[in-house]
Amino acid sequence: MIETALAMVDYIFGLSPDLLVTLLKDRTRSKDGSTHNIFWATSDYESLGKGYEYNDEIKTELITGENKDIVVSRILKEQSLCIRRVYSGQIRTGSTRFIESNAT
């Protein structure tokens, strides 16, 4: 399951690079002939360097090929972040509720 979730972006790109471009398009900011992609909207990826900062647009080359493991499903990401917070002593009540409510 995890391997499937991690490979999904590469799979979509393999089917149709144009489909991935369409999925990344920010329809709110793309107007009057200008095209913008959605942006990261998180600082979680800034340690990866240029192109991964909060306001940087997500580009296909940043999330495909060798970078295919960058994007993971939200549930996997949330659990991973919560586990790191527990071990670092920074657990937040909201994150704990999320895990408890989604545990199966």
Side-chain angles (χ1 to χ4, degrees):
M1 168 66 180
I2 292 175
E3 289 178 6
T4 303
L6 294 176
M8 186 57 69
V9 172
D10 252 6
Y11 176 74
I12 292 170
F13 187 72
L15 284 176
S16 170
D18 291 337
L19 175 59
L20 186 56
V21 168
T22 299
L23 293 172
L24 292 174
K25 185 177 179 181
D26 184 336
R27 304 217 184 304
T28 302
R29 296 184 310 138
S30 297
K31 296 187 191 270
D32 300 326
S34 69
T35 302
H36 296 277
N37 284 359
I38 57 174
F39 59 98
W40 292 105
T42 180
S43 300
D44 292 348
Y45 304 102
E46 288 183 350
S47 64
L48 298 172
K50 184 175 167 73
Y52 295 96
E53 294 182 8
Y54 188 96
N55 289 311
D56 289 340
E57 292 183 14
I58 302 173
K59 301 192 181 304
T60 56
E61 63 270 14
L62 297 175
I63 59 171
T64 57
E66 291 181 18
N67 301 319
K68 71 176 186 243
D69 297 340
I70 300 297
V71 177
V72 297
S73 74
R74 183 173 288 156
I75 186 71
L76 295 176
K77 179 181 172 187
E78 288 291 333
Q79 289 175 347
S80 171
L81 287 173
C82 289
I83 289 168
R84 279 189 279 159
R85 288 181 186 131
V86 167
Y87 286 108
S88 68
Q90 299 175 357
I91 191 154
R92 299 185 316 192
T93 306
S95 298
T96 305
R97 280 197 305 264
F98 176 84
I99 289 215
E100 289 171 355
S101 67
N102 288 295
T104 54

